[in-house]
Amino acid sequence: MLLSSRQLTLGNTSVRMRDPQRVEETLRCMQKAGLNTLQVISDFDMTLTRFARNGKRCPTSHNILEISKMISSECKEKLKDLLDKYYPIEIDSSKTIEEKLPLMVEWWTRAHALIMQQKIRKDQLTLAVQESDAMLREGYQEFFDCLNQHSVPLLIFSAGLGDVLEEVVRQAGVFHPNVKVISNFMDFDETGVMTSFKGELIHIYNKREGALLNTGHFEELRSRPNVLLLGDSLGDLTMADGVQEVEKVLKIGFLNDKVDERLPSYLNSYDIVLLKDETMEVPNAILDFLV
Ligand code: TMP
Ligand code: MG
């Protein structure tokens, strides 16, 4: 494998590739084209953040809100019931995306309707994140810093809660100027109380539509036809659909849960699949190679 400086990482047992030769060719092309032709598009929850730590699940941006003091205990219970009902469907490999889609829309719609009733205050989000166990993957600092240092744009494309995830990135000290976020953002009234969500809902399976609504962003990046895509769900695969005149896309998938049964579909759609890997080692090794 050509990633000489960090060979170990791609030789790691947690890495699987359907076609290692294709990965190598893609990386060589990207390296030759240079960093000024690259953009990175990454999912947030369970991709930039950890899935678990010492056997305990880490929160998604929705969960951070759910466990905070801002939400009533009745609402917490309802959101938890929704999670218990719909998360197993999200990761059920026996169902197709077409079968899951209406159920995922139902989950997001019901969760967001509950959140909107909670009179959330913008100024309380900072504390909610501080008090949570939210954690970016090990090696995140190197990842964010390297992209910023080389002026490579990083788009965080999330079906989570934009205001919450931005706070996580800010508190981690890596909300650099090269970072842009497309997500579900809250709308607040003049007293700082949440009233609704802005724009179109982004859920796990409509990132393609979300990307196409943001043509302006991708238009600005027209001179960057090479894409490094990072995700943890099969819904994340369409995040680069808005990229104009795309040349090479390298898709890295974190497979965190139900690894054995989901591996075949992940190998079919992601170029590199990382099994229960809580670190950014492989993306960092790739950046190291491209720099
Ligand atoms: P992502 O696009 O940043 O990964 O965000 C989507 C994740 O959010 C998905 O894995 C499910 C999770 N989620 C919750 O944890 N609670 C919720 O109420 C909802 C609607 C989604
Ligand atoms: Mg995710």
Side-chain angles (χ1 to χ4, degrees), residues 43-45 60 62-63 83 90 107-108 111 158-160 207 232:
D43 168 55
F44 185 74
D45 292 306
T60 61
H62 278 95
N63 301 152
L83 182 74
E90 177 188 335
W107 182 13
W108 258 258
S158 169
K207 290 193 171 181
D232 79 296

Side-chain angles (χ1 to χ4, degrees), residues 49 78 188 242 256 280:
T49 55
K78 288 185 181 163
F188 298 94
N256 303 308
M280 294 300 279

Side-chain angles (χ1 to χ4, degrees), residues 189-206:
D189 67 15
E190 59 288 352
T191 66
V193 175
M194 183 199 180
T195 51
S196 59
F197 281 95
K198 289 180 184 161
E200 296 294 315
L201 171 74
I202 300 176
H203 58 76
I204 195 160
Y205 291 128
N206 73 347

Side-chain angles (χ1 to χ4, degrees), residues 43-47 57 59-63 66 79 82-83 87 90 104 107-109 111-112 115 156-161 165 183 202-204 207 232-233 236 239:
D43 168 55
F44 185 74
D45 292 306
M46 310 297 129
T47 295
R57 286 288 303 269
T60 61
S61 51
H62 278 95
N63 301 152
E66 195 181 307
L79 285 168
L82 292 179
L83 182 74
Y87 177 68
E90 177 188 335
M104 294 296 104
W107 182 13
W108 258 258
T109 310
H112 284 199
I115 291 168
I156 301 178
F157 197 159
S158 169
L161 301 172
L165 81 83
S183 187
I202 300 176
H203 58 76
I204 195 160
K207 290 193 171 181
D232 79 296
S233 144
D236 295 328
M239 292 189 300

